[in-house]
Amino acid sequence: MQETREPKHLKHLFDANRAWAQQMETESPGFFAHLTAQQKPEYLWIGCSDSRVPANQITGLMPGEVFVHRNIANVVLNTDLNCMSVVDFAVDVLQVKHIIVCGHYGCGGVEAAIHGNTTGAVDHWLSGIRDLWEENFDTLSMLDEQAARARLCELNVSQQVKSLSRSTVVREAWARGQDLELHGWIYGITDGLLRDLDEHRTAPD
Ligand code: CO
């Protein structure tokens, strides 16, 4: 067992952590010993960094049950080494059965892409969503502003699932017959509920 030192900063988080670890062991003795032995999650979650959309909590999944990648506005870029490494490891090593791309309504990243009020790295990061806004401007501009934003959040999920389905890792997994399903979901911050956007894919286009 590693030595536990008294934390000098953010002590309340360490206190909460200790209480949590104790509760987990009480409810399920041997919980951490079991997790140490193996990591075998069935799901990879690609979601937004938004603090209101925590993957494990909203799906009721325990540590060890979901592999997670989060970035601003749940973007899947084939040129993003970070995201692609996560997908690669999840598919090739962990052999996850499902990849869930989960967006959320009221996504600040999506809204920033519409308003163009970002600068620097974030502005660059959101350029694909801005393109999506422009490509769909004719249909989106028929909606009221709130509905248009919500629709763009959904379109963004669809776009990222498509991008994922075209990634080398996913295409190669399907080519060798590996069971791998892609899903596109969206989460409502106002009601805490997930919705399936019917973007289920099990094969290339
Ligand atoms: Co967001």
Side-chain angles (χ1 to χ4, degrees):
M1 185 67 76
Q2 287 105 338
E3 179 197 348
T4 318
R5 273 191 224 151
E6 263 316 295
K8 290 199 181 95
H9 309 282
L10 298 178
K11 191 173 172 302
H12 59 292
L13 297 183
F14 287 87
D15 291 343
N17 164 253
R18 217 167 295 165
W20 172 79
Q22 229 162 44
Q23 187 194 341
M24 294 301 285
E25 270 301 313
T26 308
E27 284 172 10
S28 177
F31 182 79
F32 294 104
H34 176 72
L35 279 185
T36 310
Q38 65 159 354
Q39 173 181 220
K40 196 83 188 81
E42 261 188 53
Y43 315 97
L44 164 61
W45 173 278
I46 300 177
C48 184
S49 297
D50 193 303
S51 63
R52 298 165 295 181
V53 196
N56 285 74
Q57 273 147 303
I58 65 180
T59 53
L61 291 170
M62 300 294 279
E65 292 183 329
V66 59
F67 200 61
V68 173
H69 176 78
R70 289 167 69 182
N71 62 43
I72 295 177
N74 42 275
V75 171
V76 178
L77 277 179
N78 291 314
T79 48
D80 175 13
L81 189 59
N82 183 354
C83 182
M84 285 303 122
S85 304
V86 171
V87 174
D88 194 347
F89 189 79
V91 171
D92 286 350
V93 180
L94 299 174
Q95 306 253 317
V96 296
K97 300 264 187 290
H98 305 271
I99 305 181
I100 298 154
V101 176
C102 186
H104 66 102
Y105 294 118
C107 182
V110 171
E111 283 170 18
I114 297 174
H115 295 301
N117 53 0
T118 50
T119 54
V122 178
D123 189 57
H124 182 66
W125 180 250
L126 297 173
S127 63
I129 304 178
R130 201 167 309 119
D131 293 346
L132 201 58
W133 168 251
E134 281 165 15
E135 282 159 26
N136 292 280
F137 188 76
D138 289 347
T139 43
L140 292 174
S141 58
M142 315 262 283
L143 305 170
D144 69 51
E145 195 180 329
Q146 200 184 356
R149 286 186 197 174
R151 183 71 192 122
L152 189 59
C153 290
E154 295 172 352
L155 288 172
N156 179 43
V157 171
S158 306
Q159 178 66 32
Q160 308 313 331
V161 173
K162 189 193 283 179
S163 163
L164 190 60
S165 75
R166 291 177 179 170
S167 68
T168 310
V169 178
V170 170
R171 280 191 289 117
E172 284 180 354
W174 280 336
R176 62 178 177 261
Q178 189 172 330
D179 282 341
L180 181 64
E181 301 181 20
L182 311 186
H183 309 264
W185 295 356
I186 194 150
Y187 175 77
I189 285 174
T190 54
D191 61 11
L193 296 175
L194 288 165
R195 292 140 182 97
D196 190 341
L197 290 175
D198 214 10
E199 285 293 337
H200 186 236
R201 287 170 195 245
T202 55
D205 307 317

